[in-house]
Amino acid sequence: MMFGRVAFMELRTGWKGLLIFGLLVVVISAGIPLIFPTYRNSLIEELEGASKVHLELPNEQGDMIILSWETVEPATSYMVLEDNRPSMVTPNIRYLGNETSIAFEKDFEEKRYYAVMAVLDQTSDPVLIGIAATEKGVDPFQELLKNPAYAGLTGGRNFSMLEVKGFVALEYYSWSWMLTGLFIAYLSVSLIASDFENKRMDVMFSAPISRRRYILEKFTAMNLIALFIVLVQIAGLIWGLASINALNEFSANAVLLSLIGSLPFLMVIAAVGITTAVLFQKVRTGMGITFAFVFAEFFLYTFGGFSKSLEWMKTISIFKYWDYFSVIIDDLFKVGDFLILTVMAIVLVITVIRVFQKKDIPT
Amino acid sequence: MEQEKVIEITNLTKMYGNHVGVKDLSLTVDKGEIMGFLGPNGAGKTTTIRSCLALLTKTAGEITIFGLDSHRDSVTIRKRTGYLPGDFGLIPSVKVRSYLKYLLSLHGSSSTKKMGSLAERLQLDLDRKTNELSKGNKLKVGIVQSLMTDEDLIIMDEPSGLDPLMQQEFYRILRQEQKQGKTIFMSSHNLAEVESICNRVAIIRKGQLIVVENIEVLQKKTGKVLEVEFNDPFKIDEFTFKGVSNIRQDNGRLILTIHENLDNVIKALSNHQILNMNLKTYSLEQLFLKYYAEGEVGEGGDA
């Protein structure tokens, strides 16, 4: 008889819960990018006359900065003051002359402010045209990212929360495993353990279904559910990013690849859930252990970033192998990581089938 | 002629840790018979049945069904076996019809004809939701699922709990199944039930098989207890026939055990004015005591 009937029955009886969860995931996935513009604006300083002054930064340190400003009719000359505080208490004079555009070498690292003044005549004080800064706003995460706790999470990558990529990576991806991973953990345990608890196994195994097929069908159901959730995440996130016109900065392709990378991650969690369900045959016990597994893996991953001597912790954490930062920040999808987790899930499932074949089904 | 054996259990032992589930049990069920498997709760009936279906692993011994190894060839065996578990749960929140169709599909069948007729005979509403069923209706779902796939072997673990009319209909269904050549192996803790439906009975107690007997032979050996209350005087001698034992008088009532020649007893009773009469089947425990007393217990005698 056709493979998939047991899996299909799970989806059929559980579609309502899945739909509700799916809607929740859409709301969260689409909602988080929507918060971004407000968040960024709250960090960006309102500099006086900023619209009249334009500062173009070079990509490389040591290249030229180009500063230009609007012509002011009565001005006889212009003066550019430079300071590392917007208050300009201790400025240097960067330029004095008739040009409305200047270029100079970026030979500093810190944030600097430039006040462009118009000199009208010899007797009156110069008038401010506008202020520009080498950085747009203050990123509160810049310092935090150097903290080992975050460095462990981000792989030491430097990015800005003022960019949509950085914001979504840190505010959405870095905790979405709690949403999806724990849901998969809960479901994979209960899909099998509840068959034990509700005494459905005897009828199931009076049909010509082998234990291997039973496990494979449940695992298939879990994979389909995981795929559904990931697709819903992708759709929600793309929708959210499109709503704030940010798809040119954070492409739909990057969303797709970064979240597809979580599929084998979720498969491993499902396999662990199935394993604990078969071993303990109780929903509560299985869920407790599977949840503990997910959290332990997460902490291993972050602790692993604390120092070189703790790196081995990272290696044995499944979180290392779903490197969404790599896709989002470095534009690199790690096929090897994807395969490592897939193989791990398959090995776990094969093992649990072997165990289940030798176990009694309790009454 | 040698009967074709459908189930052949040889020296089955199942231990749960240090606790004995079944010990050294050997039993065969022949093709076309209804074999009763009788024993009190906890005797090992369910353990034996679930070992046959490979739900439990064996500690020792062999089980072959249709000549196939019960564990290695379990899936093949289950293609030809219907099973009603003693205790089972249903998938919640689906219609009984969908649930049964799902189970049919697991057996690789899509024919709902027999499912429909069984449900009709047992008065089971297929449009009810599985989580809205009473205990009796749940049992009906179990009975229908075990019979609807039309398998050669039907194993039922204590299929009792229907109301009396339905129980009779259920027995009629089983007899019809038997006529079609099906083999039925059913456990029970109710001697009367086994007597009314089975051809043979295997009695188990504390994990060990005590006896396997034809029902007629068992009935002869154990007999039935008759209690009569008279409105006129009677003598014990009047009822002393071959096949009648334990005759005594108790508070003006006559108590005797009939093994055979019920007819003679009835004729003798017709000479009297009778106030009340009660014919009782032995309870299981009394049956065991009888078997022990008569020294027919074999290895079970240490209990």
Side-chain angles (χ1 to χ4, degrees), chain A residues 28-29 32-33 153 164-180 230 233-234 237-238 241 250-262 265 298 319 322-329:
Chain A
I28 292 172
S29 307
I32 285 183
L153 200 66
V164 69
K165 279 183 173 185
F167 177 80
V168 173
L170 222 50
E171 293 295 317
Y172 179 80
Y173 282 80
S174 67
W175 62 266
S176 69
W177 60 270
M178 273 202 231
L179 189 73
T180 55
V230 168
Q233 275 185 293
I234 291 169
L237 206 49
I238 290 177
L241 289 170
F250 195 151
S251 71
N253 197 36
V255 172
L256 189 85
L257 285 179
S258 58
L259 285 171
I260 286 292
S262 75
F265 171 83
F298 177 72
F319 281 82
W322 171 34
D323 192 355
Y324 44 84
F325 283 108
S326 169
V327 180
I328 300 168
I329 311 292

Side-chain angles (χ1 to χ4, degrees), chain B residues 77-134:
Chain B
I77 290 168
R78 283 183 271 142
K79 280 181 187 161
R80 296 176 60 188
T81 308
Y83 168 51
L84 169 69
D87 189 9
F88 61 94
L90 309 172
I91 293 175
S93 311
V94 290
K95 280 188 179 172
V96 172
R97 190 189 305 279
S98 321
Y99 174 67
L100 290 173
K101 274 186 176 174
Y102 165 62
L103 293 180
L104 269 175
S105 75
L106 293 185
H107 280 268
S109 163
S110 57
S111 163
T112 56
K113 204 176 144 199
K114 190 160 182 190
M115 170 184 107
S117 75
L118 284 167
E120 201 172 312
R121 288 182 69 175
L122 292 169
Q123 294 173 15
L124 172 68
D125 183 357
L126 292 174
D127 292 316
R128 291 280 290 277
K129 286 271 179 79
T130 47
N131 46 335
E132 295 166 356
L133 299 178
S134 67

Side-chain angles (χ1 to χ4, degrees), chain B residues 71-82:
Chain B
H71 276 69
R72 205 185 50 236
D73 307 314
S74 174
V75 173
T76 316
I77 290 168
R78 283 183 271 142
K79 280 181 187 161
R80 296 176 60 188
T81 308

Side-chain angles (χ1 to χ4, degrees), chain B residues 9-55:
Chain B
I9 304 171
T10 318
N11 304 116
L12 172 69
T13 296
K14 172 65 188 175
M15 304 289 292
Y16 299 102
N18 288 326
H19 173 74
V20 179
V22 171
K23 198 178 171 193
D24 207 20
L25 183 142
S26 296
L27 179 67
T28 57
V29 179
D30 298 333
K31 187 176 174 355
E33 75 170 336
I34 301 184
M35 166 69 104
F37 194 31
L38 193 62
N41 292 325
K45 302 187 296 287
T46 300
T47 298
T48 308
I49 283 175
R50 297 180 83 247
S51 298
C52 288
L53 289 154
L55 292 163

Side-chain angles (χ1 to χ4, degrees), chain B residues 157-170:
Chain B
D157 194 0
E158 303 208 353
S160 45
L162 297 172
D163 65 63
L165 281 176
M166 275 301 127
Q167 197 72 31
Q168 289 310 314
E169 183 63 27
F170 169 57

Side-chain angles (χ1 to χ4, degrees), chain A residues 36 59 116 150 164 181 188 192 207 247 262 318 348:
Chain A
F36 174 68
N59 290 325
V116 181
Y150 277 95
V164 69
S188 59
I192 287 178
L247 279 177
S262 75
I318 55 171
L348 257 173

Side-chain angles (χ1 to χ4, degrees), chain A residues 50-86:
Chain A
S51 61
K52 293 174 186 159
V53 183
H54 182 71
L55 186 87
E56 206 172 301
L57 286 168
N59 290 325
E60 301 276 327
Q61 186 75 7
D63 283 356
M64 302 303 271
I65 296 176
I66 299 164
L67 179 70
S68 55
W69 55 89
E70 282 180 15
T71 315
V72 177
E73 274 307 325
T76 55
S77 62
Y78 300 97
M79 179 165 65
V80 176
L81 302 178
E82 179 187 58
D83 198 350
N84 52 13
R85 277 173 294 185

